[in-house]
Amino acid sequence: MNNVRVRFAPSPTGYLHIGGLRTALYNYLFAKKNNGKFILRIEDTDQTRFVEGAIENLINSLNWAGITYDEGVFIENGQIVEKGDFGPYIQSKRLDIYKKYVDELIEKGHAYYCFCTKERLDKVREEQKISGQIPRYDGFCRNIPLEEAKKRIENGEEYVVRLKLPHNRDIEFYDMVRGNITINTSDMDDQVLLKSDGYPTYHLAVVVDDHLMGITHIVRGEEWLPSTPKHVYLYEAYGWEKPTYVHLPTVLNKDRKKLSKRQGDVSVEDFRNKGYLPEALVNYLALVGWSPEDNEELMNLEEMIEKFSFERVSKTGGIFDIDKLNWINGHYIRNSSTERLRELAIPYLINENLIDEKFAHENTQWLDCLVETLKESISTISEIPQKSKFIFSEEIEIEEELFNEFLNNENAKIIMNAIIEEITNMDKFDLEEAKTFMKKIQLKTGIKGKNLFMPTRVALTGSEHGPELVNILYLLGKDKIIKRARKVIEKLS
């Protein structure tokens, strides 16, 4: 496929949605697969919904996810900059361009000035609803002569520009996911192209920009499918070659409804803050609506690029399954370096007041042991503080049932006394000492196997299951081991 050019063109109306990240990912995979170019454009024509910081969040989220692009809007030294030969890449900087193309449509008779007030439009829609019709513009200004319209504008009347669709005509286009689609103009509206504030609507801007930027494939969410015939007609009206369309299935929750903030996390930022790894989130998102031919589930970006095709994208919405994401994230955590996990875990531990910056700086070996000890049992990095509370706590609670099963006997008392005696006489208690410690207790007491290890584990952790005991001994250190062993002896006395 020659000269593939695709774009991700979000509106800066908030943090990047998880569905938006998947759209960006599919654009990226398709571009890379075909040695094409991937562009980031910002569609900010609806200034009323603009959110300060949204562009920065969007770019940072893409960078964090490892989804790189070739042209468009970047951040350099804290500033938003544009790079590429087809700019500006921010729509609010392109108003003169849109005005020129709107004027061309009007002169060709494919668009018209509309002077209807909001009150009139609301009244028409209300009447249409009452009579069971689909609410849409009734064409009231459609046949106003151009000269008359221009005079009214000169006299200061407020106006918008609307698309003049032909009556009762089939508009056809091909979608790489859904195949051939035909929609009749009788089911469509004379869409507003230019608003009264001089800003274009999405429908005009997207067509003009995609054409001028040489976009060959438009990959976007299926919510834009009903608007596509209008876009196809605009390409025709301008005499331009239309691109190939790809409308992606919606990302749904387990109730098969669109993911929304009301039901939990939906932004990339949310998942990042929860301690999901970028490669895990991207790997999982790729599978929400697409599957490779070999049905492989664990893939890095290079493997996804190699296997990706729109032929294997589903027509129906993909279910966002948090359990599956957690499984994939757990896999990537277990395959990450200890150093990386330590650096990721530190902010969460500090946030829970379990450690401070000084401790983090001075105790890297201890923290390495902590993440190594816990990584088999976590699905996200944010679970580390909760899973490690038994290590940081000054005291632990042992359930009565557990105490009676493992500690309410003479053997347990012998073990606790031996632990206190042995560790008190040690000058230091590092990881090497921890490795041989239980062997010394075994020799001292003559107790071995489960009869030695289970009472020790329960006494020191409050649980009969858990990570490697050697690591727990080292992480607890001399003082906590003595304190916890003494507590058991006191309870037995």
Side-chain angles (χ1 to χ4, degrees):
M1 211 175 283
N2 293 327
N3 303 322
V4 163
R5 285 176 63 82
V6 295
R7 77 332 186 248
F8 178 51
S11 299
T13 56
Y15 284 179
L16 178 61
H17 188 280
I18 208 79
L21 182 63
R22 190 195 61 173
T23 299
L25 173 63
Y26 284 9
N27 271 285
Y28 168 85
L29 295 176
F30 184 71
K32 294 293 174 193
K33 174 88 182 245
N34 293 287
N35 298 313
K37 297 289 184 192
F38 177 34
I39 295 108
L40 175 66
R41 186 172 73 220
I42 302 298
E43 301 197 337
D44 63 340
T45 57
D46 189 348
Q47 290 287 292
T48 60
R49 294 176 64 224
F50 179 82
V51 172
E52 201 63 49
I55 295 176
E56 290 86 345
N57 171 268
L58 168 76
I59 293 170
N60 288 334
S61 293
L62 291 175
N63 289 340
W64 173 78
I67 298 174
T68 56
Y69 46 95
D70 305 289
E71 297 172 27
V73 185
F74 297 81
I75 294 176
E76 281 187 1
N77 303 317
Q79 300 294 312
I80 293 172
V81 298
E82 297 179 56
K83 291 181 181 178
D85 300 331
F86 296 84
Y89 293 92
I90 297 175
Q91 285 186 335
S92 56
K93 295 182 179 180
R94 299 172 62 83
L95 299 187
D96 291 347
I97 297 170
Y98 304 131
K99 183 74 175 68
K100 174 190 159 194
Y101 284 100
V102 164
D103 291 345
E104 184 183 323
L105 278 182
I106 289 168
E107 294 303 325
K108 284 181 171 179
H110 295 302
Y112 60 94
Y113 296 107
C114 172
F115 302 93
C116 292
T117 62
K118 183 182 181 301
E119 290 73 27
R120 181 186 179 275
L121 293 173
D122 289 345
K123 187 167 176 279
V124 167
R125 285 196 188 95
E126 201 50 49
E127 287 169 357
Q128 288 172 333
K129 278 182 195 169
I130 291 164
S131 62
Q133 295 173 276
I134 297 167
R136 59 180 154 200
Y137 184 61
D138 62 353
F140 186 76
C141 296
R142 193 177 161 104
N143 296 314
I144 296 172
L146 188 54
E147 289 310 309
E148 183 189 326
K150 285 181 177 176
K151 277 179 190 162
R152 287 173 70 171
I153 292 164
E154 278 172 29
N155 292 334
E157 269 194 69
E158 200 170 271
Y159 69 94
V160 299
V161 175
R162 288 183 181 275
L163 178 63
K164 195 174 199 173
L165 282 168
H167 291 304
N168 191 26
R169 196 185 125 194
D170 284 343
I171 306 280
E172 297 175 356
F173 64 96
Y174 175 74
D175 184 284
M176 285 182 80
V177 172
R178 287 164 173 78
N180 292 312
I181 294 173
T182 304
I183 298 180
N184 192 279
T185 53
S186 307
D187 300 320
M188 292 155 62
D189 203 356
D190 278 4
Q191 185 72 51
V192 172
L193 299 176
L194 192 73
K195 295 175 282 187
S196 56
D197 61 3
Y199 276 80
T201 60
Y202 171 82
H203 306 284
L204 175 80
V206 76
V207 169
V208 170
D209 290 347
D210 285 338
H211 172 71
L212 294 180
M213 293 180 186
I215 303 302
T216 59
H217 295 74
I218 293 175
V219 184
R220 59 188 177 191
E222 67 182 356
E223 66 270 22
W224 295 111
L225 196 56
S227 303
T228 304
K230 297 168 191 174
H231 304 165
V232 169
Y233 179 71
L234 275 170
Y235 276 97
E236 186 184 306
Y238 283 121
W240 298 337
E241 185 183 344
K242 66 176 181 287
T244 300
Y245 288 94
V246 186
H247 288 93
L248 305 174
T250 306
V251 179
L252 305 172
N253 63 25
K254 60 180 187 301
D255 300 323
R256 303 201 73 82
K257 292 190 171 71
K258 193 172 179 181
L259 272 187
S260 78
K261 192 78 185 164
R262 285 190 302 280
Q263 288 136 335
D265 301 323
V266 294
S267 77
V268 176
E269 191 88 352
D270 291 333
F271 288 92
R272 186 176 180 177
N273 290 340
K274 280 269 176 74
Y276 287 92
L277 303 182
E279 64 270 35
L281 187 59
V282 164
N283 185 163
Y284 174 67
L285 270 182
L287 301 171
V288 183
W290 168 75
S291 62
E293 210 163 325
D294 59 8
N295 288 315
E296 182 57 61
E297 292 189 311
L298 298 167
M299 295 169 282
N300 60 31
L301 273 173
E302 287 69 34
E303 290 165 328
M304 283 184 242
I305 291 164
E306 188 187 324
K307 296 175 182 186
F308 188 77
S309 76
F310 286 121
E311 284 71 30
R312 295 195 58 83
V313 170
S314 170
K315 292 180 176 64
T316 55
I319 305 293
F320 192 89
D321 179 351
I322 197 74
D323 294 331
K324 182 79 169 283
L325 171 59
N326 287 343
W327 173 77
I328 289 177
N329 201 59
H331 164 83
Y332 282 99
I333 285 173
R334 286 185 286 282
N335 285 277
S336 288
S337 72
T338 303
E339 184 183 2
R340 182 192 185 196
L341 295 178
R342 182 220 313 148
E343 292 307 310
L344 290 170
I346 285 169
Y348 294 98
L349 293 166
I350 290 174
N351 196 46
E352 291 292 325
N353 297 315
L354 297 174
I355 64 170
D356 56 23
E357 295 278 5
K358 185 171 183 288
F359 183 95
H361 181 68
E362 292 174 357
N363 295 276
T364 53
Q365 186 191 20
W366 189 92
L367 286 167
D368 283 351
C369 182
L370 181 73
V371 296
E372 275 295 316
T373 303
L374 297 176
K375 73 178 186 181
E376 293 296 327
S377 65
I378 58 172
S379 299
T380 66
I381 304 295
S382 63
E383 292 170 35
I384 286 177
Q386 187 57 41
K387 295 268 188 185
S388 60
K389 280 217 167 134
F390 78 95
I391 291 164
F392 288 99
S393 301
E394 282 308 310
E395 291 194 2
I396 55 162
E397 289 300 318
I398 302 172
E399 288 177 13
E400 205 62 39
E401 198 179 320
L402 271 182
F403 190 90
N404 289 333
E405 185 178 350
F406 295 105
L407 297 171
N408 199 2
N409 56 64
E410 195 55 36
N411 265 5
K413 197 170 189 178
I414 293 166
I415 294 165
M416 296 305 118
N417 279 314
I419 285 172
I420 293 167
E421 189 184 326
E422 184 66 37
I423 205 164
T424 304
N425 295 327
M426 292 176 128
D427 294 330
K428 62 184 174 72
F429 191 71
D430 58 20
L431 197 50
E432 287 308 306
E433 295 291 339
K435 284 175 184 173
T436 59
F437 185 73
M438 290 309 290
K439 188 72 179 166
K440 289 174 183 174
I441 303 302
Q442 181 187 323
L443 292 170
K444 206 178 195 98
T445 62
I447 302 166
K448 55 187 180 182
K450 271 182 79 172
N451 294 332
L452 172 64
F453 288 98
M454 292 306 286
T456 305
R457 179 181 288 283
V458 172
L460 298 183
T461 70
S463 172
E464 61 183 301
H465 305 293
E468 190 75 36
L469 191 56
V470 168
N471 290 9
I472 291 168
L473 289 166
Y474 166 65
L475 292 167
L476 286 173
K478 277 178 73 170
D479 292 346
K480 283 198 180 113
I481 291 170
I482 292 168
K483 193 173 180 181
R484 292 182 189 188
R486 277 191 182 142
K487 191 176 177 188
V488 172
I489 294 166
E490 281 167 21
K491 195 166 178 182
L492 287 169
S493 299

